[in-house]
Amino acid sequence: MASRQLNLQRVLSLFRVLLMVETVSGARGSLTEAHIGPQFSASGVNQTPMDDCREVCSLNVSDRCDFVRTTPDCRSQGGYLNYLEGIFCSFPPHLLPLAITLYAFWLFYLFLILGVTAAKFFCPNLSAISTTLRLSHNVAVSFSPRPGPRSALVAFSDPRTAGLAFGALFGAGVLVTTVVAGGIAILRPFTAASRPFLRDIIFYMVAVLLTFTALYLGRVTLAWALGYLGLYVFYVLTVVLCTWIYRWQRRRSLVYSMPGTPEMLSDSEEEPVSSNSYDYSEEYRPLLFYQETTAQLLAQALNPLDYRKWRNKPVSWRVLKVFKLPVEFLLLLTVPVVDPDKEDGNWKRPLNCLHLVISPLVLALTLQSGAYGVYEIGGLVPVWAVVVIAGTVVAAVTFFATSNSEPPRFHWLFAFLGFLTSALWINAAATEVVNILRSLGVVFRLSNTVLGLTLLAWGNSIGDAFSDFTLARQGYPRMAFSACFGGIILNILVGVGLGCLLQISRSHTDVKLEPDGLLVWVLAGALGLSLVCSLVSVPLQCFQLNKVYGFFLLLFYSSFLVVALLTEFGVIHLKSV
């Protein structure tokens, strides 16, 4: 159980890298031309008022559908559904509240899909992969990224949206380092790991300073972009070196310690507050052994409902479970799970063989919103048909070469297949979330900066927040707190560095940044101030973080949000000379 709990914090690490690879290969995602806002301009070209999709609400009701269909700013390059066209073309004007209600419910369900996929399918596969590759928990937590790298990469792929990436990264950084970190301190007061905390916060402050300087200079050059990537490489080497030095010191101290001396805990390892080692599942094992048929194994593997747990849970849990059942069944059918905490590694022969057909098909139909899956090879056979045929052949060979009782030696390969499939499920759901939020912003006439600062940042961070809060409640607050600062380093360094590098390689010119307005400086200043406050206050408390510190961080974020909104709506502004 400890291994599974520790891997909760690593749930987004390889997933973020996967999404960045997809973006590098040409993905446009959902943050494209439709996300251009008047607050930022990377090329010096601003949109005219009628080119802005938010102006649709100022038109006559009869003209809104045509405007949405013909305006480039209203188009979504990623995702499966056109939500703006659905609102203004499919629903009559008097049913607009109903459309917004349905979108809100669908948004809730998408977040449910994200949570179920991450907790029950992504985590076990990531745990199996980390066990196979022998990844250290400390190193993995330090490399756990946070919101925004994919959005930054996609934004930098278009010259007009480069400045928007900085706002998204700054807004998400403030949220994670204040609300999430403060919530951890409130849920479980603890003593922070001193060395990882100081290392990560100093590196992140340097990254923020680099970004602030780039905004001040108004451009990102090739040397500047390579400097971002070089700083991240240096950070990785520092983490690995510090881990190696600590382990070497630990081994030396254990050699010279007296017999019976308790083993020291590392900076990132900690004992859970409470644990129960008794396995109640032993009580439900049958007295007489019987061999289940293949059909019974398949039906049992596809059943997402545990009747024993259902009887013992409250009504609220049961209601939420009813909403989860379709999602869990679909994911059980499409995503293989290798669980290292189980004796058989969760080997289900009939279902795993079925996964060899269905999972590659899901990959083909979710990558680039199905664009690759429907591509016809030679103009005759679509890619999805080739994938199904190849998967069927591999599944047949695997079925006849294995048994129900014992997992094969290559069972660990299913962890990589499950990781990839669950990651693309999360990617598809996240793309729809962004598109819905953007559509709601158009309806309520909210700027893209405010959406990125509030709804988009909250949506991107909700999975991380639940993961960190779960770790804190289960007795791992130090690990969750360290990840708040260590994980977001990859976002800003790789997101900005690699994104600018790709743009420079295509245009052969520097990425120009012309932030038009005060809000971007409010974002950068708030993030820098929050890091300085943590850098000063945490050591002054001897790294003992309590609820007072947590409420202070929440108050800081509330104040920042008020100032940012007042700045956006013109209440706070610079006096013209």
Side-chain angles (χ1 to χ4, degrees), residues 273-291:
V273 173
S274 61
S275 61
N276 190 351
S277 60
Y278 183 72
D279 187 5
Y280 288 96
S281 63
E282 298 287 338
E283 298 180 359
Y284 297 96
R285 288 190 177 183
L287 296 177
L288 299 177
F289 176 78
Y290 69 96
Q291 185 70 32

Side-chain angles (χ1 to χ4, degrees), residues 311-530:
R311 292 195 302 265
N312 299 326
K313 292 295 183 178
V315 177
S316 59
W317 184 92
R318 296 183 184 184
V319 172
L320 186 61
K321 186 66 176 180
V322 170
F323 285 103
K324 288 182 179 180
L325 286 178
V327 177
E328 292 180 350
F329 175 79
L330 179 63
L331 292 174
L332 285 173
L333 185 63
T334 58
V335 182
V337 176
V338 178
D339 193 345
D341 294 334
K342 296 183 178 181
E343 294 182 0
D344 60 352
N346 199 45
W347 167 248
K348 310 293 182 183
R349 176 171 167 250
L351 181 58
N352 287 144
C353 292
L354 192 60
H355 285 149
L356 292 175
V357 180
I358 299 179
S359 294
L361 179 61
V362 171
L363 295 178
L365 296 179
T366 55
L367 191 64
Q368 284 294 286
S369 301
Y372 294 151
V374 298
Y375 176 78
E376 294 183 352
I377 301 176
L380 298 175
V381 182
V383 172
W384 67 265
V386 176
V387 170
V388 170
I389 295 173
T392 302
V393 173
V394 176
V397 173
T398 303
F399 184 83
F400 291 108
T402 58
S403 63
N404 292 335
S405 58
E406 185 177 355
R409 289 182 296 178
F410 57 84
H411 183 218
W412 57 273
L413 291 175
F414 282 88
F416 289 88
L417 179 61
F419 162 77
L420 196 61
T421 309
S422 58
L424 288 180
W425 270 122
I426 294 175
N427 181 36
T431 301
E432 300 301 319
V433 167
V434 174
N435 288 338
I436 291 180
L437 291 177
R438 198 257 168 176
S439 301
L440 295 177
V442 169
V443 173
F444 294 107
R445 299 178 67 97
L446 298 175
S447 71
N448 295 294
T449 305
V450 172
L451 283 176
L453 173 63
T454 54
L455 296 179
L456 188 56
W458 298 338
N460 284 337
S461 304
I462 190 171
D464 305 321
F466 279 119
S467 176
D468 292 338
F469 293 158
T470 300
L471 280 174
R473 284 194 299 266
Q474 293 178 346
Y476 298 93
R478 288 197 297 177
M479 180 176 297
F481 184 78
S482 297
C484 289
F485 293 93
I488 51 181
I489 295 177
L490 183 144
N491 291 4
I492 192 168
L493 291 180
V494 176
V496 177
L498 186 57
C500 290
L501 186 62
L502 292 175
Q503 176 59 29
I504 293 172
S505 65
R506 282 191 290 264
S507 62
H508 303 288
T509 58
D510 298 340
V511 177
K512 296 182 180 180
L513 306 172
E514 297 180 8
D516 182 46
L518 184 61
L519 184 56
V520 64
W521 306 111
V522 172
L523 288 171
L527 180 56
L529 183 59
S530 69

Side-chain angles (χ1 to χ4, degrees), residues 79-378:
Y80 296 92
L81 301 175
N82 190 327
Y83 296 99
L84 284 174
E85 188 172 331
I87 290 177
F88 295 105
C89 299
S90 301
F91 286 90
H94 64 278
L95 293 181
L96 183 61
L98 176 61
I100 295 175
T101 302
L102 293 176
Y103 279 21
F105 178 79
W106 177 231
L107 183 64
F108 162 77
Y109 208 74
L110 287 172
F111 280 126
L112 198 64
I113 293 174
L114 290 172
V116 172
T117 307
K120 294 191 175 183
F121 297 86
F122 200 84
C123 278
N125 285 319
L126 191 58
S127 176
I129 292 175
S130 64
T131 301
T132 302
L133 301 179
R134 298 180 181 180
L135 297 178
S136 168
H137 291 154
N138 185 25
V139 175
V141 166
S142 298
F143 301 154
S144 246
R146 282 300 184 258
R150 180 175 181 266
S151 299
L153 284 172
V154 179
F156 280 117
S157 65
D158 191 314
R160 296 175 297 172
T161 59
L164 183 59
F166 289 104
L169 291 174
F170 283 155
V174 176
L175 179 67
V176 172
T177 57
T178 55
V179 175
V180 179
I184 293 170
I186 294 173
L187 286 174
R188 184 79 65 180
F190 65 101
T191 302
S194 57
R195 288 177 292 184
F197 169 77
L198 293 175
R199 176 198 65 210
D200 294 340
I201 198 172
I202 289 174
F203 268 97
Y204 192 49
M205 289 179 68
V206 173
V208 172
L209 180 62
L210 286 177
T211 309
F212 188 89
T213 306
L215 283 172
Y216 179 78
L217 296 176
R219 66 178 62 242
V220 176
T221 63
L222 177 61
W224 206 265
L226 293 176
Y228 273 97
L229 299 178
L231 180 60
Y232 184 71
V233 172
F234 180 62
Y235 169 73
V236 171
L237 295 177
T238 302
V239 172
V240 175
L241 181 61
C242 291
T243 303
W244 181 84
I245 293 176
Y246 178 81
R247 288 179 175 177
W248 177 74
Q249 292 177 341
R250 182 179 178 181
R251 286 194 298 266
R252 287 194 59 187
S253 62
L254 290 177
V255 169
Y256 292 105
S257 63
M258 296 295 294
T261 302
E263 186 176 347
M264 295 184 301
L265 293 175
S266 68
D267 284 338
S268 63
E269 296 174 348
E270 49 195 307
E271 292 296 332
V273 173
S274 61
S275 61
N276 190 351
S277 60
Y278 183 72
D279 187 5
Y280 288 96
S281 63
E282 298 287 338
E283 298 180 359
Y284 297 96
R285 288 190 177 183
L287 296 177
L288 299 177
F289 176 78
Y290 69 96
Q291 185 70 32
E292 292 181 315
T293 64
T294 300
Q296 289 175 329
L297 285 174
L298 180 61
Q300 182 181 3
L302 287 175
N303 182 16
L305 185 61
D306 188 339
Y307 298 103
R308 298 190 301 268
K309 186 179 293 186
W310 175 271
R311 292 195 302 265
N312 299 326
K313 292 295 183 178
V315 177
S316 59
W317 184 92
R318 296 183 184 184
V319 172
L320 186 61
K321 186 66 176 180
V322 170
F323 285 103
K324 288 182 179 180
L325 286 178
V327 177
E328 292 180 350
F329 175 79
L330 179 63
L331 292 174
L332 285 173
L333 185 63
T334 58
V335 182
V337 176
V338 178
D339 193 345
D341 294 334
K342 296 183 178 181
E343 294 182 0
D344 60 352
N346 199 45
W347 167 248
K348 310 293 182 183
R349 176 171 167 250
L351 181 58
N352 287 144
C353 292
L354 192 60
H355 285 149
L356 292 175
V357 180
I358 299 179
S359 294
L361 179 61
V362 171
L363 295 178
L365 296 179
T366 55
L367 191 64
Q368 284 294 286
S369 301
Y372 294 151
V374 298
Y375 176 78
E376 294 183 352
I377 301 176

